[in-house]
Structures are given as structure tokens and as C-alpha cells.
Amino acid sequence: MFARLVSCALLACALPARAQVAPLEVTVTRADVDDEHVFAVNASGAVQAAPMAVWKVLTNYERMPEFVPDLQTSRVIARMGSDVVVEQFGVARFMFMSRDIHLLVRVTEVPITAIDIGLINGDMKVYSCRWELVPLASGGTRINYTGKMVPRFYVPGFLGANIIRSDIQRMMTAVLARLDKPDQDK
């Protein structure tokens, strides 16, 4: 749903067993802060691809709609050194409902180790996340995703964490599957 799009705001399909170095882990917790439902997300998985190959895929923002579920467009608006402004459009789906989502985010790249994303404007009140790339002794890469989000639209509190967990799991599965095939960007 909206978390899948938002999570993939840069970054976001079954993962082949051979590619999985460790199982995909996803947790979502909800805290009520000042009458807001703040969702904290943690997800982690590993691929056989080397960190540099993973980096090239995750920072190719305009190709993300090719593999991120429900992300329709993603385009770079500006690039200033390690800072990139990216605009994304997609659809959030839950059961029989859908909602168009627009985000404008600032991405700060820390080459080959981290991608920090913060909201400039869009359909979220709060959105910040971090993708971390950790080299593995096997030559592969562990990808850690953490974030906090508060949508500008209603998400049922009692179901919200489960909806977001499902979205993040779907998005991470698709992203990890794509990361294990980095040669597709040639």
C-alpha cells in the first residue's frame, strides 16, 4: 500500500532461495505521538551481489518503477553533489481501495554505504528512511532499511502496522530479487 511506494521512494516476486544469504526480516511498530500514528519500520535481507552492484541499482532512481511494486514514475529533479531531489508517483492499494501517492524527497547518498531519504513535500506528514549496505564476508551485501512515517491520509490504527508490514515485505522481496540481478542495468 502506501508504505510500499514510500519505502521505494528510492529504493521498496519471490526471492530465489540461492540468492538469500539470510531470511528477510520485517518489523513495523506503531506509536501514538501527539495524536499521530507514527509507524517505525525495520527490514533487512541479503543478496549475493557485491555492494557496488547493489549501489548502482539503488541509486538508479529513474529505473525503479521497473521493479518496485505500484511505483509508476520516479524522476530526478535535481542533483547537487551527493544530494538528489526525486519526484515519485504511485498507487497505494488496500483491499478494494486505492489512492494515488505523490512524493518529493531529498536523497543524500553516502557512496556504497547508505542512502538517506527525507520528505520535502507530498502525501506524508512525516517520512524519513535509510538504506544501509553492509558488505558480507561471502562477497554479498546485507541491505538494512529503517524508516519512520506518518501518512496525510487515514490508515486504520488497529490494522496499520500489519498493512505496512505486508507492503514493506512485498517491496523488499521485489527489491532484493532485483538486486541479485545487477547485470540487468547494462
Side-chain angles (χ1 to χ4, degrees), residues 157-173:
F158 64 96
L159 291 176
N162 288 333
I163 293 168
I164 292 170
R165 184 180 305 105
S166 176
D167 265 3
I168 295 294
Q169 187 157 3
R170 182 172 172 234
M171 181 271 302
M172 282 293 288
T173 298

Side-chain angles (χ1 to χ4, degrees), residues 1-7 92 101 124 149 151 153 155 164 167:
M1 195 171 112
F2 79 90
R4 177 179 30 221
L5 170 67
V6 173
S7 303
I101 301 290
M124 301 292 284
M149 56 191 73
F153 50 89
V155 175
I164 292 170
D167 265 3

